[in-house]
Amino acid sequence: MYISKSFIPILKNNPSEAKIKSHQLMLRVGMIKQSSAGIYSWLPLGFKVMKKIEKIVREEQDKIGAQEILMPTIQSSEIWKESGRYEDYGEEMLRIKDRQSREMLYGPTNEELVTDIFRSSIKSYKSLPQLLYHIQWKFRDEIRPRFGIMRCREFFMKDAYSFDITDDEALFSYNKFFLSYLKTFKRLNLIAIPMAADTGPIGGNLSHEFIILAETGESKIFTDKRIFDLDSEGTELEKKSLETLRKKYEQFYSVTDEKFNKKEFENKVSEKNRLITKGIEVGHIFYFGDKYSKPMGASVDLPGGKKDFVKMGSYGIGVSRLVGAIIEAKYDEKNEIMKWPISIAPYDIAIIPMINKNDNLALDKANKIYSELVKNKIEPLMDDTEENFSSKIKKMNLIGVPFQIIIGKQNDGDLLEFIEIGKETKKIRLQEIISILKKQKEKI
Ligand code: 5CA
């Protein structure tokens, strides 16, 4: 993409309405535009990043055997009356009437709808387990939408649902998602910690929030620092191995505000390991047994001829919130330098030529580099405008493309000035740059 042809509406200064750095940056570099309170349009730069996050989330769901479906955004109130949540959900639910005066709603979550899909087709234990997921817009009429897309009213969520016949099997499903979440966030270059959490309007008695640390986060957390040294390396998609993984994490005290107990915290965690801080909830998983299957009559035939209600869990990731969460984690606001992890960067590399009105040398060279990169499946963003050199660099630093090729006045033959944001400048050949980027992209 050439900057001169792009739709990247950059602002000169930080917008005053934005209180946290992710919101500031997203407005500043034109990733989103507010259309009404808590509702946003996604512009090319923001949309590209969100789509890349979505792809990684999808791949990790597929790896644990979850199957993708797509449910509508608009739901009928009937199924919510069956589960008993139509009243409980209160004002957060956007209620709509159609032309026949039927009560409809814009889905804030999909436990009811997926249970309805399940009960109409699955009749026997032989078809279990089933893991279904979709990635779809949700609407919650939040009382205080704020921080841009971090807490908004319309947001993009991956929600998955599991169906099993026994508690034991259901926990196996729960643990598969536990692992897939650790892997997903790792691929996004984030350290997300699973923490025992409250279940709120979703219900059930087992739940973990996945939290990344950030001063601007809305969740208060109490944790044993040692949990940050753990990872899911070596875990197999198999019952025992997954159980061991969850136990490994659960041995360290780590909870959100609602679950906090001062005595327990002080007893279990020595003073030097205590960490009380704030974080952003990027995922949330729940186990709630037959909370929905029972009132909605979702049962299957058991081996002996009896029937039982299926045991369910649900598993959410805030795909759109992750865009903001990653900025909170990676943006150096003081120096106005963003660095997207290559796995989700809107472009792979920036080409910044110093353009001189009287000769086309730098521009010609930049164009050749551009074509060569594209041929190698590397996506460049080139600043072909006549703006001055230092503002071009500033702009690219803000956009956060992780690598840059600078084409200045100096002619070094085949050698190019190559920068990985945050590191020393190198002088290397284009072929070397291509192989560095290819290697980085393979690791994704
Ligand atoms: N049905 C369950 C699991 S699928 C559920 O809805 N869980 S949730 O309420 O915790 O939402 C899942 C994730 O969506 C959260 O972890 C958060 O990352 C994201 N999310 C929730 N509300 C908002 C909001 N108002 N704005 C942006 N993201 C949100």
Side-chain angles (χ1 to χ4, degrees):
M1 175 57 67
Y2 292 90
I3 290 266
S4 65
K5 311 239 163 25
S6 70
F7 191 96
I8 306 178
I10 295 197
L11 305 174
K12 278 232 156 9
N13 298 307
N14 275 332
S16 58
E17 72 265 33
K19 298 283 174 278
I20 62 170
K21 60 183 178 177
S22 58
H23 192 195
Q24 282 166 8
L25 186 71
M26 290 182 83
L27 293 175
R28 178 96 183 264
V29 298
M31 296 176 79
I32 49 169
K33 176 172 185 322
Q34 182 171 317
S35 69
S36 54
I39 303 181
Y40 290 85
S41 296
W42 288 76
L43 307 184
L45 207 59
F47 196 50
K48 267 169 104 57
V49 173
M50 187 163 73
K51 285 278 153 191
K52 288 192 174 181
I53 295 175
E54 180 190 2
K55 181 168 177 279
I56 290 176
V57 169
R58 175 177 290 116
E59 284 169 6
E60 293 301 323
Q61 295 293 290
D62 293 342
K63 276 189 201 158
I64 57 163
Q67 300 166 77
E68 187 168 11
I69 58 176
L70 184 59
M71 293 177 266
T73 52
I74 306 291
Q75 306 181 18
S76 157
S77 63
E78 294 302 315
I79 47 178
W80 287 73
K81 285 179 181 159
E82 278 188 58
S83 75
R85 271 209 298 184
Y86 194 57
E87 298 308 323
D88 294 354
Y89 222 94
E91 294 201 292
E92 242 187 43
M93 182 187 276
L94 180 65
R95 296 154 205 258
I96 316 162
K97 276 208 176 114
D98 72 7
R99 67 203 301 169
Q100 262 98 31
S101 289
R102 277 185 296 241
E103 290 173 318
M104 312 292 283
L105 56 102
Y106 194 123
T109 176
N110 282 50
E111 280 79 9
E112 285 79 358
L113 195 47
V114 80
T115 306
D116 182 49
I117 292 171
F118 177 90
R119 71 179 170 187
S120 65
S121 305
I122 303 288
K123 305 289 178 201
S124 161
Y125 75 96
K126 288 181 189 150
S127 308
L128 300 184
Q130 286 290 337
L131 312 180
L132 301 174
Y133 75 97
H134 81 158
I135 306 177
Q136 177 63 291
W137 293 97
K138 304 288 184 297
F139 194 95
R140 294 183 188 171
D141 205 350
E142 297 275 351
I143 189 159
R144 238 182 309 126
R146 58 189 188 144
F147 302 154
I149 48 81
M150 294 289 240
R151 176 161 303 279
C152 49
R153 297 199 297 164
E154 191 183 41
F155 58 97
F156 203 41
M157 192 213 278
K158 185 285 299 178
D159 39 327
Y161 303 87
S162 65
F163 302 86
D164 284 279
I165 197 57
T166 60
D167 275 327
D168 187 51
E169 287 297 312
L171 290 181
F172 183 23
S173 292
Y174 186 91
N175 292 343
K176 286 180 192 168
F177 284 97
F178 191 92
L179 170 68
S180 92
Y181 277 34
L182 291 173
K183 290 196 161 173
T184 304
F185 298 127
K186 190 170 175 193
R187 278 181 72 187
L188 296 173
N189 233 280
L190 292 173
I191 303 170
I193 299 299
M195 306 202 169
D198 221 23
T199 54
I202 309 292
N205 50 22
L206 171 65
S207 173
H208 288 89
E209 281 181 17
F210 287 76
I211 306 251
I212 65 163
L213 297 189
E215 268 310 311
T216 47
E218 291 188 291
S219 313
K220 195 162 184 203
I221 55 175
F222 303 83
T223 179
D224 185 324
K225 277 181 199 157
R226 289 172 296 174
I227 202 165
F228 289 93
D229 301 331
L230 303 178
D231 73 18
S232 63
E233 220 41 56
T235 309
E236 306 283 333
L237 200 57
E238 175 268 317
K239 224 180 225 172
K240 270 265 135 347
S241 183
L242 289 169
E243 248 174 58
T244 310
L245 175 72
R246 194 145 74 81
K247 279 202 188 115
K248 192 167 89 175
Y249 274 90
E250 283 176 343
Q251 70 178 305
F252 295 118
Y253 190 87
S254 193
V255 302
T256 56
D257 221 359
E258 304 92 356
K259 288 260 171 186
F260 177 62
N261 177 311
K262 191 165 183 280
K263 234 185 185 159
E264 207 183 344
F265 184 50
E266 287 172 0
N267 279 344
K268 283 192 177 160
V269 190
S270 67
E271 215 169 327
K272 70 175 195 319
N273 288 326
R274 279 179 215 155
L275 178 67
I276 302 176
T277 183
K278 283 188 180 157
I280 301 167
E281 176 200 325
V282 286
H284 199 164
I285 60 179
F286 303 81
Y287 178 55
F288 42 74
D290 59 10
K291 175 172 180 204
Y292 299 90
S293 57
K294 201 168 176 183
M296 293 185 69
S299 59
V300 292
D301 296 327
L302 301 179
K306 280 193 184 157
K307 270 178 177 297
D308 201 3
F309 299 112
V310 283
K311 308 275 196 290
M312 293 172 57
S314 74
Y315 315 89
I317 290 185
V319 176
S320 50
R321 176 179 285 183
L322 269 168
V323 180
I326 293 167
I327 298 174
E328 288 297 323
K330 311 281 176 203
Y331 179 40
D332 168 359
E333 87 192 297
K334 207 165 123 234
N335 298 306
E336 300 201 331
I337 299 178
M338 173 63 194
K339 184 184 182 190
W340 290 102
I342 185 94
S343 57
I344 52 164
Y347 295 94
D348 298 322
I349 188 161
I351 308 173
I352 312 174
M354 186 166 116
I355 295 176
N356 182 333
K357 275 193 191 125
N358 304 320
D359 80 63
N360 285 334
L361 271 175
L363 190 59
D364 287 347
K365 191 170 174 182
N367 276 325
K368 282 194 190 113
I369 292 169
Y370 187 102
S371 316
E372 197 57 29
L373 290 168
V374 172
K375 252 193 245 160
N376 282 279
K377 299 201 165 53
I378 292 168
E379 207 181 349
L381 176 64
M382 177 160 132
D383 195 341
D384 56 338
T385 65
E386 285 179 3
E387 224 177 310
N388 75 55
F389 202 45
S390 74
S391 48
K392 280 185 175 183
I393 302 220
K394 268 191 172 165
K395 199 197 307 171
M396 283 297 186
N397 284 345
L398 214 50
I399 291 175
V401 180
F403 299 96
Q404 301 174 338
I405 294 174
I406 313 279
I407 305 171
K409 270 197 206 130
Q410 222 178 327
N411 190 347
D412 284 316
D414 283 349
L415 293 180
L416 297 171
E417 224 174 284
F418 172 72
I419 302 173
E420 174 173 357
I421 290 192
K423 295 196 176 155
E424 298 273 285
T425 307
K426 283 186 191 165
K427 291 214 167 165
I428 55 177
R429 293 192 165 72
L430 183 59
Q431 283 318 312
E432 237 181 294
I433 295 178
I434 291 174
S435 83
I436 291 174
L437 263 84
K438 279 190 166 168
K439 266 201 204 113
Q440 292 258 354
K441 282 169 75 91
E442 268 165 26
K443 278 198 248 156
I444 300 169

